[in-house]
Amino acid sequence: MNIGEIARRAGVSRSTVSYALSGKRPVTAETRRRIQAVIDEIGYRPNAAARALKEGRTRTLGLVIPPAGQRLTDMQLGFVASVVEAAARADLDVLLSPSGGDHDRSFERILTGSRVDGVILMEIRLEDERVARLQDSGLPFVTIGHTANPHGTCWVDVDYTTLIARCVHHLADLGHRSLALVNRSAELLATGYGPAHRAITGFTDAVAQRGLAGVGLTCADEPAAGETCFEQLRDRHPDVTAVVTVNEAALPGIQRGIERAGLVVPRDLSLAGVAARHWAEDFRPQLTAADVPTVEMGASAVDLLLERIAAPDAPVRHLLLTPPISLRASTGPVPR
């Protein structure tokens, strides 16, 4: 059903129906009543463009993702999917825009092109010029992740520092005295990527608190790198009996490395970490881990952004999640 059919049934012109829907020009109460009666009868719903025109908004949210040349991790894809689903429930569209490298112009168009009502920014660095740029633009925004000094911004994040520390304490309680942290890539660390640096803080602090020996390794976000990383760990630090990781994409390779070394988890080696639930459950045996709630985080980011759009001057809010460590089958007592 379209505006022409509504006009025919109400006995008015198409332009009169359009004015009644958009509010651009006055329409008599009687004419508006007739038009509304037809709309109610046929269940007509104005399209998104018409509603946006009436509201003075685009009804579109921008989601800034890592550079297009990078293959997104499952966790990143989970954030994208959860944001899109939450936006759809609010009858909103999502415009994806890569940032970084050769994509700075795409990010600038999001900020200056009047294409979106607000922005969700992923993969936050401790010092992130994109956040500063968004603050300067005045466009409502929310980040998944947070900077070193997030004052004045709305954000959703996982408390990597606390969660990695809890993994260390769990392993220490099982008697492990020599631990390794398998982190994200050296390149991400160099950029100041928040989760990687907070994982180091949590690991280092907990190891020191419990009087343990700890070693950190960087690893690219792919299975082959995970296998290589584990081989290097065994060659250089054969005394390590437990591994903590925030690199879920490397887990299949770590598992291959364990099997090639003839080790049995958790009899010979324990593993724990922070990962999306399906990664933890696909590991064999299932991984003791804090399951990152990607669906909740994406939905919360959309909710916070809609709050900012509706009330830009309201106090900023943030959500720091600390999911429980799910004790599965990959951790056990230190080998004798």
Side-chain angles (χ1 to χ4, degrees):
M1 188 65 65
N2 56 34
I3 287 179
E5 181 62 18
I6 295 172
R8 186 185 68 76
R9 294 193 181 199
V12 298
S13 68
R14 290 173 59 95
S15 60
T16 299
V17 175
S18 179
Y19 295 149
L21 292 173
S22 69
K24 279 191 168 184
R25 293 188 184 180
V27 176
T28 67
E30 174 58 24
T31 299
R32 186 181 296 277
R33 186 194 63 74
R34 293 207 314 272
I35 292 171
Q36 188 61 51
V38 172
I39 288 173
D40 292 342
E41 177 186 350
I42 65 177
Y44 173 77
R45 191 180 184 195
N47 64 32
R51 294 197 308 277
L53 184 63
K54 180 178 180 180
E55 297 168 1
R57 294 179 179 172
T58 67
R59 297 197 65 82
T60 301
L61 306 180
L63 177 60
V64 181
I65 61 176
Q70 290 183 201
R71 184 171 60 185
L72 298 185
T73 67
D74 274 31
M75 191 179 297
Q76 291 166 343
L77 289 172
F79 288 139
V80 172
S82 62
V83 167
V84 170
E85 289 174 6
R89 289 195 295 270
D91 200 21
L92 300 172
D93 295 323
V94 175
L95 176 62
L96 298 183
S97 174
S99 72
D102 297 328
H103 301 288
D104 287 340
R105 284 181 296 178
S106 175
F107 180 60
E108 283 298 317
R109 284 195 296 270
I110 284 283
L111 268 59
T112 62
S114 300
R115 298 181 173 192
V116 299
D117 298 321
V119 171
I120 294 173
L121 182 64
M122 291 172 46
E123 301 299 282
I124 305 303
R125 300 183 284 270
L126 296 179
E127 302 294 332
D128 203 314
E129 61 185 18
R130 299 170 303 167
V131 174
R133 182 71 184 87
L134 279 163
Q135 288 177 305
D136 291 341
S137 75
L139 191 65
F141 73 96
V142 172
T143 61
I144 298 179
H146 65 292
T147 62
N149 298 294
H151 178 73
T153 63
C154 281
W155 50 271
V156 181
D157 205 356
V158 167
D159 190 349
Y160 284 93
T161 301
T162 296
L163 292 178
I164 289 297
R166 286 181 180 175
C167 288
V168 171
H169 289 302
H170 168 62
L171 292 165
D173 289 342
L174 291 170
H176 294 275
R177 308 299 299 170
S178 182
L179 280 65
L181 170 67
V182 175
N183 207 330
R184 304 288 292 278
S185 71
E187 291 78 11
L188 277 175
L189 272 171
T191 66
Y193 181 58
H197 281 270
R198 293 184 175 105
I200 292 174
T201 299
F203 182 78
T204 303
D205 290 351
V207 163
Q209 184 178 346
R210 298 298 292 264
L212 310 176
V215 59
L217 297 90
T218 56
C219 180
D221 295 340
E222 58 182 10
E227 187 170 3
T228 300
C229 181
F230 184 77
E231 290 172 353
Q232 293 174 346
L233 173 63
R234 294 295 295 173
D235 288 343
R236 301 173 186 174
H237 306 280
D239 55 328
V240 166
T241 61
V243 174
V244 180
T245 185
V246 289
N247 194 330
E248 62 180 25
L251 283 172
I254 292 174
Q255 183 157 24
R256 287 200 300 267
I258 292 170
E259 292 169 352
R260 285 174 57 120
L263 302 177
V264 176
V265 175
R267 185 192 68 192
D268 306 314
L269 181 77
S270 288
L271 284 92
V274 180
R277 181 174 180 175
H278 81 90
W279 279 112
E281 293 181 343
D282 286 347
F283 196 81
R284 290 294 176 266
Q286 290 192 357
L287 185 71
T288 290
D291 303 335
V292 177
T294 54
V295 173
E296 179 183 354
M297 292 176 70
S300 296
V302 171
D303 289 343
L304 286 174
L305 182 56
L306 295 182
E307 289 180 11
R308 299 303 297 162
I309 293 170
D313 297 326
V316 296
R317 296 201 301 122
H318 69 265
L319 183 63
L320 184 62
L321 301 173
T322 311
I325 305 293
S326 296
L327 299 177
R328 297 187 176 98
S330 66
T331 54
V334 63
R336 293 184 178 179

